[in-house]
Amino acid sequence: MLRFALTRALSLALSLLVASVVIFAVIEVIPGDPAAFMLGLNASPEAVAALREQMGLDGTLFTRYLAWFGGMLTGDFGVSYTYKVPVAELVAQRLQVSVPLALYALVLSTVIAIPVGVIAAATRGSVGDYGIMGATQLGIAVPNFWFAMLLVLVFAVTLRWFSAGGFPGWDAGLWVGMKALTLPAVALALPQASILARVMRSALIETLGQDYIRTARAKGLTRRQATVRHALRNALIPVLTIIGLQFSFLLAGAIIIENVFYLPGLGRLIFQGITQRDLIVVESLVMLLVFAVILVTFLVDIAYAAADPRLRRKR
Amino acid sequence: MRVPATLIAGAILSTFFLVVALASFIWTPHDVAALNISDKLQAPSATYWLGTDHFGRDTLSMLMVGARTSLAVAIVAVGIGIVIGVPLGLVAAATRGSLLDEIIMRGNDLVFAFPSLVIAILITAVFGPSAVNAILAIGIFNIPVFARVTRGGALSLWTLDYILAARVAGKGKARISIEHVLPNILNLLIVQGTIQFSLGILAEAALSYIGLGAQPPTPSWGRMLSEAQTMIYSAPRLAMWPGLAIVAMVLGLNLMGDGLRDLTDPRLRRERG
């Protein structure tokens, strides 16, 4: 197990290294002069020169890369050009919206998907099963930003139960903050819940066909008992993997949803960074997001291997 | 062999959009670029079947041309994935366990690690928003998907007797890959292709929704939605049609993919029978 964890950790480090080189190349090498790119066509040469100095663009590519990557390791993400504050500060602020939003959506998606998937599997072939499968097909096909607009239309414009967007901050109270995040979380959760319910259903159907379930039934357990005691536990393993992977989808999906609801989260920050050509913000944020995704995948792998010893050997 | 109902339903929906997109080349009810401010925000009528937007443009015409944009972006993006990903997967399978295989597969993992939407945004930000850059951004993420599916399907074939026979007959790995492996994983690729196609349509809609896809005056469903959002209080109708179009097209492709999988996977077929 330790050896497995170590090789995975090594590959995690390697992935991060390659990812950082790719991001650095896309942002600092491809546009030519990043400072000129950031300031646009009408910038004065003095302004460009000043920004070049601030960004340390006069060094060689290699020293610049080292400075950027080394800075990230020590928590120094540079200073945003448009906001004039350290990127780390901006990130810390925005995480207070993005992480709760992603977790909220994750919880919603799981709480909906697991029972729905179990019911569909247990009543396989019934009208209910077909209904559930049809609904999840629809859920997967709906773009989350359009679903978000429909939610606004129904619950904010017509019923006036929620506000159409914005975030009052956690200082306004936990309940107020949660309320502001509810529609965005539902919009994010719907497609994920649909996928998860389908995974849950097929995993459970697969385990229900196993010999040990037949044995359990033969020794006198009812179908329900066999499902709950034996099948469900084993079927949850692939479901947990998907849940782990969905966290990163949720973080990335938030870029769009945060824009629909005008939420001051990471996604909106990255989007604003791009439209304002604030490459310093964009570069560090993309790296952070990639880091989060790779880290979650790594943790899922480890948890998976801990739960199922067969996987350690297989890799 | 019974044809799955999902396949029929999916094929009908997908064909419908294909026909609409093709028809838009020769005919739309109105000119999509024509701004008719005097006719702005009209309700559906005999002249404007689905009404008009805030510039007086005909919604139905824009939807028709939007279907074209959507399909074109998704087709080319899937094409990129197939043209680059499939050969990579074939090579990886043929040289299983070699350094080359390892490099290809780790490279795949790396692309998977990037949140695709973030990178798509990054690409369009650095190179400027356009349909072409949206295609590239979506296409890049199709490469590892096809490489992985190809390798997985090919690996199991390489252990079979008829491949061994071909090797004994003196055929090289490249020739075997093309003559014997590729035809036998085609069904896998077609199923995956349909899935990636529908994901491509969703991705294109998302990119053009945030303004990084096809640029005006080219109509696209995503941008129609972002424009409709600003008028959601006064003209919620405008937000309905493009959304419904996206859902119907994606649903059609997904159903078709499911149906094709059921049809080509004998294991599933037996279960149903």
Side-chain angles (χ1 to χ4, degrees):
Chain A
M1 182 64 205
L2 186 66
R3 202 175 144 208
F4 174 80
L6 279 178
T7 35
R8 295 305 294 167
L10 196 70
S11 109
L12 166 105
L14 205 65
S15 304
L16 282 179
L17 203 66
V18 179
S20 68
V21 173
V22 172
I23 293 169
F24 182 80
V26 169
I27 294 194
E28 298 219 8
V29 183
I30 293 174
D33 185 345
F37 177 84
M38 283 171 69
L39 294 174
L41 290 174
N42 301 321
S44 68
E46 294 81 35
V48 175
L51 182 61
R52 282 186 65 89
E53 197 184 331
Q54 190 206 323
M55 290 175 75
L57 289 183
D58 296 321
T60 63
L61 274 182
F62 185 66
T63 51
R64 270 161 56 195
Y65 169 77
L66 277 188
W68 171 63
F69 195 67
M72 298 257 286
L73 290 179
T74 54
D76 174 12
F77 296 73
V79 177
S80 158
Y81 184 72
T82 38
Y83 296 91
K84 312 285 183 207
V85 284
V87 177
E89 222 169 86
L90 283 174
V91 169
Q93 235 172 43
R94 302 299 182 107
L95 277 177
Q96 294 174 8
V97 178
S98 292
V99 171
L101 175 61
L103 286 177
Y104 194 172
L106 197 65
V107 170
L108 274 180
S109 141
T110 311
V111 168
I112 298 167
I114 290 186
V116 167
V118 170
I119 291 171
T123 60
R124 188 185 177 196
S126 71
V127 178
D129 180 25
Y130 279 114
I132 288 172
M133 292 319 281
T136 55
Q137 274 285 8
L138 208 59
I140 293 172
V142 174
N144 58 12
F145 60 91
W146 184 57
F147 185 56
M149 287 165 72
L150 294 183
L151 289 175
V152 168
L153 200 57
V154 175
F155 294 102
V157 178
T158 311
L159 296 173
R160 295 177 188 277
W161 290 356
F162 295 91
S163 68
F167 184 70
W170 294 111
D171 296 337
L174 182 68
W175 168 243
V176 180
M178 291 286 280
K179 201 176 162 195
L181 293 183
T182 298
L183 290 187
V186 172
L188 270 174
L190 172 88
Q192 306 299 335
S194 303
I195 295 170
L196 202 59
R198 295 176 81 91
V199 173
M200 181 73 239
R201 175 184 179 270
S202 50
L204 190 54
I205 286 177
E206 177 126 17
T207 38
L208 281 175
Q210 299 288 327
D211 288 342
Y212 61 81
I213 298 295
R214 200 165 10 148
T215 312
R217 292 293 305 278
K219 76 171 193 191
L221 290 190
T222 62
R223 201 180 146 78
R224 178 184 291 261
Q225 284 169 329
T227 306
V228 174
R229 282 192 212 162
H230 300 286
L232 195 56
R233 231 186 259 186
N234 284 295
L236 274 176
I237 293 178
V239 174
L240 287 177
T241 323
I242 302 287
I243 293 177
L245 296 178
Q246 284 191 339
F247 186 72
S248 53
F249 281 109
L250 290 171
L251 272 181
I255 297 180
I256 303 233
I257 291 297
E258 285 175 0
N259 272 299
V260 178
F261 290 98
Y262 308 104
L263 295 176
L266 271 189
R268 199 159 163 72
L269 181 63
I270 204 171
F271 186 71
Q272 284 166 337
I274 284 169
T275 45
Q276 294 160 346
R277 298 190 163 198
D278 191 340
L279 292 184
I280 303 169
V281 166
V282 176
E283 189 175 39
S284 300
L285 274 184
V286 173
M287 189 63 217
L288 264 183
L289 278 177
V290 172
F291 173 69
V293 173
I294 295 182
L295 185 69
V296 170
T297 316
F298 168 75
L299 293 177
V300 169
D301 266 1
I302 297 289
Y304 206 19
D308 190 343
R310 281 170 305 180
L311 286 167
R312 289 175 225 160
R313 244 174 298 131
K314 218 161 135 191
R315 300 193 185 213
Chain B
M1 195 190 321
R2 222 183 65 203
V3 178
T6 47
L7 179 56
I8 298 170
I12 292 174
L13 265 178
S14 310
T15 313
F16 170 74
F17 281 104
L18 187 65
V19 170
V20 166
L22 290 175
S24 75
F25 279 105
I26 44 176
W27 177 81
T28 51
H30 296 267
D31 180 1
V32 280
L35 307 182
N36 245 325
I37 302 294
S38 58
D39 279 353
K40 71 173 181 181
L41 296 174
Q42 298 265 314
S45 65
T47 330
Y48 300 107
W49 292 358
L50 298 180
T52 60
D53 71 359
H54 56 305
F55 290 128
R57 289 174 299 187
D58 176 44
T59 303
L60 178 62
S61 306
M62 288 183 72
L63 279 177
M64 287 177 70
V65 182
R68 196 161 87 195
T69 314
S70 245
L71 282 171
V73 169
I75 287 175
V76 182
V78 171
I80 292 175
I82 290 177
V83 168
I84 302 177
V86 172
L88 282 179
L90 286 175
V91 169
T95 60
R96 181 187 188 176
S98 71
L99 183 65
L100 190 59
D101 177 25
E102 192 65 19
I103 291 174
I104 292 174
M105 293 322 286
R106 291 292 82 78
N108 271 341
D109 289 349
L110 191 72
V111 179
F112 268 124
F114 283 84
S116 55
L117 189 67
V118 177
I119 302 307
I121 291 175
L122 187 66
I123 290 176
T124 43
V126 173
F127 297 97
S130 74
V132 175
N133 289 336
I135 290 173
L136 283 179
I138 301 168
I140 288 174
F141 289 94
N142 279 329
I143 296 172
V145 175
F146 282 102
R148 200 171 270 196
V149 169
T150 305
R151 181 176 180 272
L155 275 184
S156 56
L157 290 176
W158 274 98
T159 60
L160 297 183
D161 287 345
Y162 72 91
I163 301 270
L164 191 66
R167 296 189 69 172
V168 172
K171 289 191 183 179
K173 283 186 170 174
R175 207 170 144 200
I176 294 177
S177 291
I178 293 168
E179 286 180 10
H180 300 291
V181 177
L182 190 56
N184 285 298
I185 55 168
L186 263 187
N187 53 5
L188 279 181
L189 293 178
I190 291 171
V191 170
Q192 195 63 45
T194 351
I195 296 169
Q196 294 311 117
F197 200 146
S198 76
L199 290 177
I201 285 169
L202 281 175
E204 191 274 336
L207 281 179
S208 58
Y209 170 74
I210 52 175
L212 297 175
Q215 294 299 298
T218 310
S220 73
W221 293 345
R223 208 181 50 257
M224 287 174 79
L225 281 175
S226 74
E227 285 170 4
Q229 197 185 354
T230 57
M231 289 169 287
I232 198 148
Y233 290 91
S234 53
R237 171 181 54 78
L238 287 174
M240 291 302 142
W241 296 115
L244 287 175
I246 296 171
V247 172
M249 180 129 111
V250 172
L251 189 65
L253 286 165
N254 284 343
L255 288 176
M256 200 161 88
D258 278 6
L260 282 172
R261 197 191 50 215
D262 290 356
L263 192 69
T264 52
D265 187 340
R267 202 167 56 107
L268 286 170
R269 206 159 54 213
R270 221 177 307 124
E271 258 174 50
R272 282 170 180 248

